Amino acid sequence: MKRIMITGALGQIGTELVLKCREIYGTENVLATDIREPEADSPIKEGPFEILDVTDIERMKEIVSEFKPDAMMHMAALLSATAEKNPQLAWNINMGGLVNALETAREYDLQFFTPSSIGAFGPTTPKKDTPALTIQRPTSMYGVNKVSGELLCEYYHTKFGVDTRSVRFPGLISYVKEPGGGTTDYAVEIYFEAVRKGEYTSFIDKGTYMDMMFMDDAIDAIIKLMEAPEDELKHRCAFNLSGMSFEPEEIAASIQKHIPDFKLSYDVDPVRQGIADSWPDAIDTSCSRDEWGFAPKYDLDKMTEAMLNGVREKEAAAQK
Ligand code: VAH
């Protein structure tokens, strides 16, 4: 990769992906795009930016023919809980945007990345040590989008030779950009509320295990996968990623090592609980480790320390 175009650049992953890619490849070689302008103080404004609605293929192709990237990272999508509230809109954006991005990658010969998710699995998928190739009958619109997206990316590789690559992300935890509309968002909100109020009310019930990963490990994984030799990739668009698996009581215990009086309570959201219950508890990441060296650095306690420090710094800066 030398010149990269990123869609959904103002999202939870996109924000940190743009900044990391600019660090590695040079600011001028990374074009950030999103459906709205960045905030006035956003670091994204320090490099190339274009407004782009990914359902507008003509504008997408115009931008590509002007910027001349050699890779596209398509991050624009609605997350699981938002998608469940408006499934038709989710299909139009998540699938319409993906088809446009793949068509553009085909026409302009771009290397291509887009994320899938553990949401691509469903209630009949093996819950533990979930393999890369297994039963995928998701019951959420987001999951239908993700499994369809995986298959579409494989098709564009097999049929048209596009170098498509994809990973199944777990819940991603970061303090730089708070997520919106996700089922795993409780595991981000809990850190912000622990610093702000010393307590949190979780919309996901105790005992609900889900795969999670600190954002630094996710961003490193995307770049490592995109730089991997293509002939090493046997599972191209079906790479499971996870840094850890935990349930709400375990993340609370990790926080209490730093904030002993932290209190966790529950007010379960049946929609997001239903989505979480349909996902695996702990997936197998051996294909990612064997084929391109996936190696997450953060476990739960190391992530908790990084999150609490990051949130405290952010809150202090916001007070100035
Ligand atoms: C969501 N954070 O909750 C996303 C992710 C595995 C979860 O796909 O929808």
Side-chain angles (χ1 to χ4, degrees):
M1 291 191 295
K2 291 183 183 58
R3 274 173 78 81
I4 306 163
M5 171 178 167
I6 298 175
T7 70
L10 302 180
Q12 185 203 18
I13 307 173
T15 301
E16 297 196 55
L17 184 58
V18 167
L19 299 177
K20 184 75 174 180
C21 286
R22 286 178 174 170
E23 212 179 280
I24 297 171
Y25 300 98
T27 297
E28 291 316 305
N29 290 318
V30 181
L31 172 66
T33 71
D34 208 305
I35 197 163
R36 56 183 166 75
E37 283 290 342
E39 305 288 319
D41 61 349
S42 167
I44 300 292
K45 293 175 78 83
E46 289 156 22
F49 179 87
E50 292 287 351
I51 292 274
L52 173 64
D53 175 343
V54 293
T55 62
D56 179 352
I57 191 166
E58 292 317 315
R59 180 64 187 135
M60 186 181 282
K61 290 182 179 179
E62 255 172 39
I63 290 173
V64 166
S65 53
E66 282 158 24
F67 183 71
K68 298 182 178 47
D70 64 347
M72 183 189 292
M73 296 179 173
H74 177 59
M75 310 305 289
L78 297 184
L79 294 182
S80 57
T82 305
E84 215 49 39
K85 283 189 193 132
N86 196 332
Q88 290 75 15
L89 177 66
W91 180 269
N92 293 339
I93 293 175
N94 292 352
M95 300 316 294
L98 178 58
V99 169
N100 290 347
L102 282 165
E103 269 300 289
T104 305
R106 179 181 65 79
E107 193 171 324
Y108 291 86
D109 190 22
L110 309 181
Q111 190 187 12
F112 187 83
F113 174 83
T114 196
S116 180
S117 157
I118 59 172
F121 297 123
T124 52
T125 303
K127 283 276 183 198
K128 294 198 185 332
D129 299 325
T130 310
L133 297 181
T134 185
I135 299 162
Q136 289 181 265
R137 309 300 289 176
T139 48
S140 69
M141 171 52 86
Y142 180 73
V144 169
N145 297 158
K146 288 304 180 183
V147 68
S148 307
E150 290 178 16
L151 297 174
L152 204 54
C153 287
E154 292 272 2
Y155 178 83
Y156 266 75
H157 173 67
T158 315
K159 179 85 175 178
F160 304 116
V162 180
D163 180 2
T164 53
R165 304 183 189 197
S166 181
V167 297
R168 293 180 188 125
F169 277 133
L172 297 181
I173 315 300
S174 93
Y175 55 83
V176 174
K177 179 80 174 47
E178 292 182 61
T183 298
T184 58
D185 294 355
Y186 90 90
V188 178
E189 295 171 358
I190 194 168
Y191 288 109
F192 282 85
E193 295 299 287
V195 170
R196 289 169 181 155
K197 299 183 194 158
E199 61 184 29
Y200 178 65
T201 301
S202 172
F203 57 78
I204 293 294
D205 206 356
K206 71 168 68 176
T208 308
Y209 280 89
M210 286 190 274
D211 284 284
M212 302 282 181
M213 188 155 69
F214 188 50
M215 185 63 79
D216 286 14
D217 282 336
I219 302 301
D220 288 347
I222 293 173
I223 291 162
K224 196 173 238 186
L225 171 61
M226 290 298 275
E227 296 290 4
E230 192 173 0
D231 54 8
E232 304 276 312
L233 306 179
K234 301 182 192 67
H235 293 78
R236 176 175 291 281
C237 297
F239 285 113
N240 288 349
L241 297 190
S242 177
M244 61 199 87
S245 168
F246 55 69
E247 56 98 2
E249 292 291 310
E250 292 171 351
I251 189 171
S254 182
I255 290 170
Q256 284 158 349
K257 293 176 185 171
H258 301 265
I259 307 174
D261 297 337
F262 172 71
K263 296 271 180 302
L264 173 62
S265 57
Y266 296 90
D267 180 9
V268 175
D269 167 8
V271 172
R272 286 183 284 188
Q273 185 63 41
I275 294 172
D277 289 342
S278 74
W279 292 350
D281 295 347
I283 61 178
D284 171 68
T285 60
S286 54
C287 293
S288 305
R289 295 169 190 275
D290 298 346
E291 295 177 36
W292 49 274
F294 170 58
K297 299 185 182 69
Y298 286 79
D299 62 10
L300 176 53
D301 284 339
K302 188 176 176 185
M303 178 172 77
T304 294
E305 190 172 354
M307 280 296 289
L308 294 177
N309 290 339
V311 171
R312 285 182 179 126
E313 279 170 28
K314 229 181 143 175
E315 293 292 286
Q319 306 302 332
K320 282 185 184 134

